Amino acid sequence: MQSRSKWSIRPIITYTMLFVILSIVIFAPYYFTDTSLIWQSDGIAQHFPALVRWQEDLKNIIQHHTLPTSWQWHIGLGADYYQTFSYYTLGDVFSYGAAFISKAHLITYYNFMIIVRLYLAGISFLVAAQYWFKNRPTWHYQIAVFGYVFSGYTAFSAFEHPFFINPLIIFPLLVLALNIALSKQKYTFLTVMIFWTLWNNFYFAFMLMIGLAIYWIGYQIQNHTWSNWLAHIKLMFSGLLATLLAAPLLFPSIYAVLTSARSNSQIANGLFFYPAYYFFALPGNLIANQTTPSFWLTGGFTAISIMALIFGLRRWHQYQLFNYLWLICLIGLCFPIFAAILNGGSSPSNRWIFLLSLPISCMVLHLINQLDALTKRDYFWFFITGLISGLSLFVISNFNLNSRYGMMIALYFASLALIWTIQSNTTLKPVWLVLLIIINSFFLVTRNHTSNTNPNATDLLPNNVVKQLMNQQKNYSNTDSNQVIRSYVDNQLNNATGIAPATNLPLLSTLNNVESYWSLQNGSISKGLSAFAINSANPNDITGNLDSRNVLSNVLGVSKRFENPDTLTPNSYQTQTNQIVNGQSVNQSKNAYPLLYFPKYYLSKKYYDTLSPTEKEATLADSVVIANHSSTKKSKFGEQVATGKIRTDLTKKAKKIQHITYKTNADWLPTGFYLSPSKTLKGTELHLEISNLHFKPYTLQQQQRVALNQYRYKHDQNARNAQKLIDRQYNSQAFTWNWYKTHFSSMGKETGNYIISTAYNDKVNTFTQTGQSNLSFYNPQTTITMNLGQASDINKETFIPLTFNKVGQYDFDVQIKAIPTDNRFNKVAKQIKTTAPSYKTGVNRLTASVTVNKPKILATTIPYSNGWTIKGSHSNLIKLGSGFIGIPLSAGKNNIRLYYHTPGSHIGKISFLLGIIICCLALSINLFKTLQINQQYK
């Protein structure tokens, strides 16, 4: 092919044709099987509901010129719209096109935009590559661009988190803009790109700006321009101007992150080293990607990309900056703290790996241009690298000779052989190498998704199922739109549920569903509700399903529960006869608290902290907790919580609390304790409270010993049963060999994750302790509470079993607390409802007129946020111990007016206007200079 001396459209045309062909091969099966690209987990739970809602809001903006209200009651217990959706749709320019299509075609739009994003990532790279690598044959660019676009990162994100592809589009242009600014002192392009970076998504903006800073340092080292202070100032001004323009979305987002439920998580999840299994897979991640990335290390690059790395490392001084980058990244991949810092100081996520796609693809262009310079030593190290990667993949596939990674290993060595052949045979056209790289890209993307067109194994939802779920949401209705009436909607995905703990589909209905699953949740509520040790709650879903607790659900104002058949129904909730909505029964409570109410008692935090989780929940019924309050009063309803007596051995006396140490063993007898009969349990909901919980996982050798003992125990038990045939295949040595073969690669996976289950009245309840390898839901707990449901058979001894899914040693204290749900609670709820003041809600406001004969605190279940301000009261709002707003009232009439504004929005708007003014001034100055120059030449 002929080389060119200037920028050409030919590489883009060629890329477009090849991309279309590859896209058809990858995505056509989904079209023919009517399968959407919506993931059963976060896709249907978060991303698609957010897009549906955003489409409605966009159309309102265009047609009615109205922005969405800041505070919205139907997001969980109530949440800020801009803070919640800034992570998903608000900054994603590829979601804006939804405003111009019908709702019926939104699924198609969602699917199509994934392909568009991938395509534009390639275009972005080609624009930058042609600027940095001029006069290259078209096939050079094709090899590099397909390695850039199709990697393990896109193989995972395209199907799970589509907007994660956006950084691949932005990064090459962002770096190119900086290069132009540094070399030509033109800053407009850089300002635009920084603005897009900051507007797109605050999370990825953090990583992209780190990548940009690294490029800036490399440029300074290479060009020795450290002392050019004027250039540095101009760069800072360009970045500042872009920040001002992006401020309306950026500032509220930053505030939301700093005050979210995930902001207090332990850095790197407390890990100093990665577990062993992570390192077993690390070399293999060079050429293949795992189905579920460990610590989000997606890995998986084309074979020639890996060879390019080796090529550069063997020429250390020639590519010194690249090699320092590889070395730093390699060291960083070995330590969780590195990933945690690049993940904003939280969990050790290696999502930053996408930043390497650009320098690696640039290195590919260096390699392709010097194929004739490759030596035998190069090929030797290419071979050794492939061998080590192949061995790594062999280990993590449990030493299976029929490994699913076989094709990736074969493609690596096929690429090596083809490059050798091209170098030694000049008549062989490079089109074969391009073809092989495209095949390599195809397998990188599709290898982990081959089952997606199998209805029994797919991770994706059919188009008709998504449409059905969307249409079903209109069946959920709120009977009173003028009041905040909350509901709980059970899981609607049934057997399609992925790892998402909940779904936000009710967002598309008129309900105020208390459960919401978003990345940014109110930190005040999360901290307040954590006192109740809700076993289903986590930083992304701070309420969970409220553990189906009666008092908690009612106090939070849950009036209706839409339940699946196997769900535990709290005592106050009565099934509405012949009312079935979307296959779920409708259960309604008359005890649901209003949004505003008067508590009977004010409790001190000192007293509150001495209570158990169930007792704390009981205090909500008639009391509120106020920080720095010196009252010695106690909750009367809280004092009615009873403690059941339990024992683990029927020969010993029952006690109120028992310490249990459980070690995994081969004995199949059930583990648990006995609840003694007691009249005090009548009319109560039983809570299993576990405290001082500690788990010590067994080592690999201990795990093997337990498995072998269980194998032998089962054989011995069957051998004693004359009715069973003798097992002629019993072989303990072969069992041990096979066990080690299938479990060796999982060494270290016991990172503190386990499940504890219990059962009562044929209802099972579980607690899942997420481990340190869980990046989104990591929430280590030593105290948990599990709702057993309404007490029954209180006149006889009842065995309550405990099961543990992971082998190891468990140590904990256990007790049974009984919280009244009978007429005792009914009276309290009735009194609360009778004295509750009326109120009205409006756009970002709530008003009420309350008259009291002495100073009081008006309690609310409005989530506390600095965005709320009050008029009509002489005091400021206070935060109750539960994380909700308390309104101090003075004696007499109080005309309360609560107003909400998104925190950071005011300064964001001012900053934006300042940015616009600066832009206008800069444009005027440039226009004036242009006119002066034109006059001089006349």
Side-chain angles (χ1 to χ4, degrees), residues 602-657:
Y602 307 137
L603 310 180
S604 68
K605 190 174 184 303
K606 183 178 179 181
Y607 161 69
Y608 184 72
D609 289 341
T610 64
L611 303 178
S612 74
T614 301
E615 291 167 341
K616 289 177 180 177
E617 178 185 340
T619 65
L620 285 180
D622 60 5
S623 314
V624 291
V625 179
I626 303 175
N628 303 321
H629 200 277
S630 58
S631 171
T632 57
K633 289 184 178 180
K634 297 181 179 181
S635 165
K636 296 300 181 183
F637 185 77
E639 289 183 324
Q640 296 184 62
V641 173
T643 303
K645 290 188 176 182
I646 57 176
R647 52 183 170 175
T648 55
D649 189 337
L650 290 176
T651 63
K652 295 181 179 180
K653 186 177 180 180
K655 299 186 297 184
K656 288 186 176 182
I657 187 169

Side-chain angles (χ1 to χ4, degrees), residues 245-279:
L245 294 173
L249 188 57
L250 179 64
F251 289 177
S253 302
I254 293 174
Y255 181 87
V257 173
L258 296 177
T259 58
S260 72
R262 298 174 68 172
S263 62
N264 296 320
S265 59
Q266 191 175 11
I267 188 169
N269 289 2
L271 284 172
F272 185 74
F273 291 111
Y274 286 114
Y277 74 89
Y278 171 89
F279 291 101

Side-chain angles (χ1 to χ4, degrees), residues 503-543:
T503 171
N504 295 308
L505 283 168
L507 179 76
L508 311 180
S509 71
T510 60
L511 290 183
N512 301 321
N513 183 34
V514 293
E515 185 173 29
S516 66
Y517 169 51
W518 302 108
S519 291
L520 295 181
Q521 298 276 359
N522 187 303
S524 295
I525 297 300
S526 176
K527 187 176 181 180
L529 295 184
S530 66
F532 312 131
I534 303 171
N535 63 316
S536 58
N538 63 74
N540 284 29
D541 183 12
I542 56 177
T543 61

Side-chain angles (χ1 to χ4, degrees), residues 5-49:
S5 58
K6 60 180 181 180
W7 195 89
S8 171
I9 195 68
R10 185 182 298 175
I12 292 179
I13 294 174
T14 305
Y15 163 72
T16 300
M17 292 188 295
L18 294 175
F19 181 88
V20 168
I21 294 172
L22 181 57
S23 296
I24 290 173
V25 176
I26 293 174
F27 296 107
Y30 300 104
Y31 173 78
F32 290 118
T33 59
D34 196 39
T35 303
S36 75
L37 300 182
I38 299 175
W39 190 23
Q40 288 184 2
S41 186
D42 287 0
I44 191 63
Q46 291 184 324
H47 306 315
F48 191 67

Side-chain angles (χ1 to χ4, degrees), residues 261-262 264-266 269 347 526-527 529-530 533-543 693 751-754 767-784:
R262 298 174 68 172
N264 296 320
S265 59
Q266 191 175 11
N269 289 2
S347 57
S526 176
K527 187 176 181 180
L529 295 184
S530 66
I534 303 171
N535 63 316
S536 58
N538 63 74
N540 284 29
D541 183 12
I542 56 177
T543 61
L693 175 61
T751 54
N753 56 307
Y754 55 87
F767 162 70
T768 300
Q769 174 64 73
T770 51
Q772 291 170 295
S773 59
N774 193 305
L775 306 183
S776 295
F777 308 122
Y778 179 62
N779 185 30
Q781 299 181 65
T782 58
T783 300
I784 59 168

Side-chain angles (χ1 to χ4, degrees), residues 122-181:
I123 295 297
S124 175
F125 174 79
L126 286 175
V127 170
Q130 284 205 80
Y131 184 87
W132 292 320
F133 300 91
K134 296 180 176 64
N135 304 323
R136 293 295 184 86
T138 298
W139 68 274
H140 283 205
Y141 297 114
Q142 305 312 309
I143 289 176
V145 72
F146 279 97
Y148 176 79
V149 176
F150 297 98
S151 65
Y153 177 82
T154 51
F156 187 75
S157 59
F159 293 90
E160 277 79 11
H161 308 282
F163 68 90
F164 281 22
I165 304 172
N166 292 4
L168 291 177
I169 303 171
I170 295 172
F171 193 44
L173 299 179
L174 181 64
V175 174
L176 175 60
L178 178 61
N179 186 285
I180 292 172

